[in-house]
Amino acid sequence: FVSALGILIASVLISGFWLSGKLSGITDGIKNISLRTYHPLTEQGMFHEICHALNKMHQEIQHADQISAETEMKRREWIANITHDLKTPLSPIKGYAELLADTCPDEETVHEYGSIILKNINHTERLINDLKLTYQLDSDSMPFHPKEVQMARTVRSWLIDLINDPSFSDRDLSFESRHAELTAVIDPELLRRAITNLVMNALVHNSSDTKVSVTLDADNQDGILLSIRDNGKGFSEQEQSRLFERYYRGTNTKEKPEGSGLGLAIANQIVALHGGRILVKSQPGEGTEFIIHIPFQH
């Protein structure tokens, strides 16, 4: 009896030390997860489910940390870019304003300086509007006022306004509607911004002889299709996968850095707000096509 009791006590003590060690390891694992010093636990034995849950939590936290780090890096890069972009138009505004204040130029020179100042003020205003619109879309505070619109007439008027801009008056921009009486429920001001952003992206970041064509069609009575196609530089597969990222600026912007780097992201968010989607087809050296699908009713 005494022997059996001794064996029982020894077994209890050994089990206690083993259990204490296991629990200590799990406790340390929980602490280390928050400290980012966690090492995966072996998933076996009576605590295998707890170890599996801790290992899975560790993987998810690592993934979230990676996304957070990448987002922060993009945010810092974007802030640096937008700061530079805002300074770029402000420099000539300040310079030519100082010339007007310090000298008495003739009427022709005043007109020239005034045109340069106005152009750069418009550029600055577009940058600020992009920042404001991005915040409103991100915070779901963007006013959304959909109504039934005759699409061919409406899109044509948007493009006419764009081509009347002196910056684009000599560019090859065409429009074709395959359904003259096509109507859809949209917010005209918001969708105008999305379409304009896509067309301007094709005009600004390609050579002056690039042809841009906009086509309006119907998608099997399910919704409208808008195609914005150009025969410009095109994008690589890697660039295409990042085109709609908020902080991404493609390689085409290095030669012509106008804009905020937010145009395509804003267009994508506006189309999504209408319950639609944007697809992109592109090949380097062969041009790009953005295809917008928006359901008739949303």
Side-chain angles (χ1 to χ4, degrees):
F1 175 77
V2 174
S3 308
L5 182 60
I7 293 173
L8 179 60
I9 292 173
S11 299
V12 170
L13 289 174
I14 292 171
S15 298
F17 282 121
W18 176 84
L19 183 60
S20 177
K22 283 291 186 179
L23 291 176
S24 177
I26 292 173
T27 301
D28 290 341
I30 295 172
K31 292 179 181 178
N32 291 336
I33 284 180
S34 63
L35 297 173
R36 304 301 193 269
T37 59
Y38 178 83
H39 295 286
L41 299 174
T42 303
E43 299 178 16
Q44 62 182 20
M46 63 185 298
F47 295 112
H48 73 278
E49 291 185 359
I50 296 176
C51 294
H52 174 72
L54 288 175
N55 290 341
K56 184 177 180 182
M57 182 188 299
H58 169 63
Q59 292 175 352
E60 291 175 350
I61 289 175
Q62 278 191 318
H63 181 62
D65 286 347
Q66 181 182 358
I67 293 176
S68 178
E70 291 175 354
T71 301
E72 177 62 16
M73 181 182 67
K74 293 174 185 176
R75 187 186 68 84
R76 290 177 180 272
E77 179 183 348
W78 177 75
I79 288 175
N81 287 332
I82 199 69
T83 301
H84 175 268
D85 287 345
L86 283 169
K87 286 182 178 179
T88 299
L90 289 176
S91 294
I93 291 173
K94 180 179 179 182
Y96 283 101
E98 288 175 346
L99 287 173
L100 289 174
D102 295 340
T103 62
C104 296
D106 55 54
E107 184 176 345
E108 182 178 350
T109 304
V110 170
H111 178 74
E112 178 186 356
Y113 289 0
S115 297
I116 294 172
I117 290 172
L118 182 60
K119 175 184 176 181
N120 284 279
I121 287 174
N122 289 336
H123 182 193
T124 305
E125 187 177 34
R126 284 195 297 270
L127 293 174
I128 293 172
N129 286 339
D130 278 354
L131 290 172
K132 178 183 177 182
L133 185 55
T134 297
Y135 168 78
Q136 289 178 314
L137 289 168
D138 193 45
S139 61
D140 294 325
S141 61
M142 186 72 222
F144 184 56
H145 303 297
K147 63 180 181 180
E148 188 170 87
V149 170
Q150 208 285 330
M151 291 301 300
R153 182 170 60 247
T154 302
V155 175
R156 184 180 289 106
S157 69
W158 296 342
L159 299 179
I160 289 174
D161 288 344
L162 185 59
I163 211 67
N164 283 336
D165 185 328
S167 302
F168 307 118
S169 59
D170 60 343
R171 302 298 296 273
D172 191 341
L173 175 61
S174 63
F175 173 67
E176 176 189 0
S177 174
R178 295 173 181 169
H179 292 269
E181 301 302 322
L182 191 62
T183 61
V185 178
I186 63 167
D187 184 315
E189 290 305 314
L190 280 181
L191 195 59
R192 174 192 181 115
R193 183 64 175 274
I195 303 304
T196 301
N197 282 1
L198 291 169
V199 173
M200 287 185 65
N201 186 75
L203 294 172
V204 170
H205 298 300
N206 286 301
S207 60
S208 59
D209 60 348
T210 299
K211 296 181 180 180
V212 181
S213 60
V214 180
T215 304
L216 174 66
D217 204 346
D219 180 21
N220 298 324
Q221 305 303 315
D222 181 49
I224 63 170
L225 286 176
L226 265 168
S227 165
I228 296 96
R229 184 198 299 267
D230 69 68
N231 62 345
K233 299 175 183 178
F235 297 99
S236 66
E237 288 187 11
Q238 181 181 5
E239 288 177 308
Q240 290 179 54
S241 67
R242 303 188 62 190
L243 281 177
F244 298 114
E245 290 183 15
R246 182 171 300 164
Y247 306 126
Y248 179 68
R249 302 181 73 171
T251 55
N252 286 355
T253 63
K254 292 181 179 179
E255 297 177 8
K256 297 181 178 181
E258 296 93 337
S260 63
L262 294 171
L264 295 183
I266 288 173
N268 192 44
Q269 286 181 283
I270 289 174
V271 171
L273 193 62
H274 285 80
R277 63 185 184 276
I278 304 180
L279 302 178
V280 57
K281 298 179 180 179
S282 186
Q283 289 289 337
E286 298 182 12
T288 302
E289 181 181 18
F290 290 98
I291 303 172
I292 299 173
H293 173 270
I294 294 179
F296 283 128
Q297 297 292 334
H298 174 60

